[in-house]
Amino acid sequence: LENARIEYLRAGVEDRKELVEQLKARIENGLRPAATPAPNAVATMEGDNVMTEAAKVLSAKDYVGARVLADKARLLFEQAGPEIARAREPLVGNLVSYINIEQERAWQADARKARKAREQQEEQDLEERLEEAASAAINIQLARQQRAPPVADSAAASPERRQADMCIVVDNGSSRAASTLALRSICAKLQETL
């Protein structure tokens, strides 16, 4: 800069002297060590960093950890002073609300999964019971056929000796497609066997 000032003086340019002085002042100011921030500025920066960390923890679906960090950020902002606390409260409040919403969604999703698993288990249990009932009906019918003496004319046989020519399967009132399909499958098996 000193060389530039001397060259401007040699060239007879006087208006550049002020520009050189301004540049010199800026450079000197830039070389001075940075002032230590005020305690409230440190607390504000820490609070902002904790808020950022809370958002990261929330994205990992750690709702409890995110809530703890949001509360910690709120305390840091309060330590920074009432103005900072008031200015940052909407951010903290929004983060806490979002944490609560996401946690509620996760609970609802878990409840839906548990309900679906329970319904699937109930359908499987129903199918097993229906299969057992169909097997039992088939076995009873086959046993009766093996024990009954041959009858020449079934119309002439006594009512006590007549065999059932029909098996009734009763629906349990379920509207689930799986139970309806299971009943149809069992009826088809009964028709094949009998």
Side-chain angles (χ1 to χ4, degrees):
L1 285 177
E2 189 62 30
N3 288 342
R5 188 179 66 79
I6 292 172
E7 289 298 319
Y8 283 133
L9 288 176
R10 280 188 200 159
V13 180
E14 299 254 342
D15 62 340
R16 302 286 185 217
K17 181 179 179 184
E18 187 178 318
L19 177 64
V20 170
E21 292 300 322
Q22 287 176 353
L23 286 173
K24 186 177 179 181
R26 281 189 177 178
I27 291 171
E28 287 175 357
N29 284 337
L31 295 176
R32 275 189 233 144
T36 306
N40 64 352
V42 171
T44 303
M45 286 189 308
E46 287 178 4
D48 289 339
N49 291 337
V50 170
M51 285 285 289
T52 303
E53 185 63 27
K56 288 178 186 175
V57 169
L58 176 60
S59 69
K61 300 183 188 280
D62 179 4
Y63 306 111
V64 174
R67 181 61 190 258
V68 167
L69 289 172
D71 291 339
K72 182 178 177 182
R74 181 177 276 144
L75 289 174
L76 288 168
F77 292 140
E78 288 172 1
Q79 290 174 1
E83 298 85 23
I84 300 295
R86 275 193 302 275
R88 294 294 199 277
E89 182 53 35
L91 297 172
V92 175
N94 286 341
L95 179 63
V96 169
S97 294
Y98 190 66
I99 292 168
N100 292 338
I101 289 168
E102 289 301 312
Q103 190 171 26
E104 180 67 26
R105 283 183 185 161
W107 287 338
Q108 289 175 355
D110 290 345
R112 278 192 303 272
K113 286 178 187 174
R115 185 175 53 246
K116 187 173 182 174
R118 191 173 50 250
E119 288 174 357
Q120 287 175 342
Q121 184 62 43
E122 288 173 1
E123 287 178 7
Q124 184 179 359
D125 291 346
L126 175 64
E127 283 183 34
E128 289 172 3
R129 287 194 312 268
L130 290 173
E131 286 285 335
E132 289 172 6
S135 294
I138 291 169
N139 291 338
I140 289 171
Q141 194 67 12
L142 290 175
R144 283 184 182 165
Q145 287 175 357
Q146 290 173 358
R147 285 189 310 221
V151 177
D153 184 17
S154 62
S158 67
E160 299 87 27
R161 303 293 280 167
R162 284 193 200 153
Q163 297 179 4
D165 27 332
M166 140 173 39
C167 177
I168 299 175
V169 178
V170 180
D171 189 354
N172 67 350
S174 173
S175 62
R176 294 188 193 132
S179 58
T180 302
L181 291 174
L183 285 173
R184 287 182 182 161
S185 169
I186 290 169
C187 288
K189 287 180 184 177
L190 285 172
Q191 285 177 346
E192 289 171 7
T193 307
L194 301 176

